[in-house]
Amino acid sequence: MLKIWGRTNSVNVKKVMWAVEELGIPYERTDAGGAFGLVNDDAYRAMNPNGLVPLIKDGDVVVWESNAIVRYLAAKHGAGTLWADDPAERAMGDKWMDWPTSSLAGPFRDVFWNMVRIAPQNRDNAAVEHGKAACGTLFSRVDRALADHPYLSGDTFRMGDIPLGCFAYGWFEMSIERPNLPHLSAWYDRISKRPAFQKAVALPLT
Ligand SMILES: N[C@@H](CCC(=O)N[C@@H](CS)C(=O)NCC(=O)O)C(=O)O
């Protein structure tokens, strides 16, 4: 059985949980990271030397890095669903998988940590404002990309929608003002109705 390590309130763990729910893969999940610890144990570090979550073990195959895990599971179990067989179609969504990590995660973290994880009296309001403005600019690029297609992956929901969908949940659930981006909102509306999203991603922000 597929084994997954990670706490369910982590945006990176949510990507994996959403993918396994979409694909209907049986799994065993172990809480790890944050208050659950475990990530510095020798046995864990032997599998993931970074000491981060998520991590999976599928038979003898060990994978860390959330986007790599989603790609692995989609390639193995998602032909015609999460995984587009045509390389060009797959690349369309694939480029949006690493983009949240490379571009959005930094400013998003500034907003999320201050609004959700830090006590209000300790909030860095300047970081929130700066992060919100940067996220607004970045999400406007997503909005433009979604003007011509219902999904980041094209006409069909696929793995390329998963990583950004997890960040979008936090963005839309936080008590903040957001720019009006109609294509982004329509896409979020579509993905957030999916039962697998409801089960794996739409958890209370903590
Ligand atoms: N690029 C990595 C980042 C992994 C990462 O930073 N995970 C965070 C949780 S979102 C973590 O493990 N933090 C330490 C902890 O939870 O103990 C990925 O996408 O998997």
Side-chain angles (χ1 to χ4, degrees):
M1 166 125 30
L2 175 69
K3 292 198 166 84
I4 303 171
W5 286 265
R7 53 189 167 85
T8 54
N9 65 350
S10 144
V11 69
N12 290 310
V13 174
K14 283 182 178 189
K15 298 174 192 173
V16 176
M17 300 315 295
W18 187 5
V20 292
E21 294 297 343
E22 290 284 351
L23 293 165
I25 307 169
Y27 62 86
E28 282 170 9
R29 186 185 61 79
T30 303
D31 276 319
F36 298 100
L38 202 76
V39 294
N40 290 319
D41 289 4
D42 289 347
Y44 190 93
R45 288 268 172 165
M47 292 187 289
N48 183 356
N50 306 298
L52 297 172
V53 291
L55 166 70
I56 67 161
K57 188 166 191 298
D58 184 26
D60 292 334
V61 179
V62 172
V63 190
W64 39 264
E65 279 295 332
S66 56
N67 297 338
I69 296 171
V70 173
R71 284 190 189 97
Y72 169 78
L73 295 173
K76 183 168 177 184
H77 300 279
T81 59
L82 291 190
W83 183 261
D85 291 329
D86 172 31
E89 185 190 350
R90 196 166 64 244
M92 186 174 173
D94 203 351
K95 68 180 181 292
W96 287 108
M97 293 184 73
D98 298 320
W99 181 85
T101 310
S102 61
S103 300
L104 186 70
F108 180 86
R109 193 179 302 114
D110 285 343
V111 184
F112 185 83
W113 272 86
N114 279 291
M115 296 303 295
V116 177
R117 297 252 163 100
I118 290 180
Q121 64 272 21
N122 298 328
R123 194 171 280 163
D124 180 344
N125 291 313
V128 173
E129 290 313 311
H130 188 266
K132 271 194 321 195
C135 287
T137 301
L138 290 164
F139 274 121
S140 73
R141 294 180 194 161
V142 185
D143 186 68
R144 280 196 292 280
L146 288 165
D148 301 326
H149 303 277
Y151 296 101
L152 293 170
S153 305
D155 292 332
T156 307
F157 173 84
R158 298 200 190 279
M159 67 176 182
D161 294 277
I162 287 181
L164 193 56
C166 294
F167 282 93
Y169 176 72
W171 179 244
F172 281 102
E173 287 301 308
M174 281 188 285
S175 306
I176 53 170
E177 319 84 58
R178 288 170 288 274
N180 179 26
L181 299 170
H183 306 299
L184 179 75
S185 295
W187 167 77
Y188 180 68
D189 205 41
R190 279 189 283 276
I191 60 167
S192 60
K193 287 196 173 79
R194 300 181 73 82
F197 178 101
Q198 287 294 321
K199 185 167 177 192
V201 183
L203 308 173
L205 293 184
T206 57

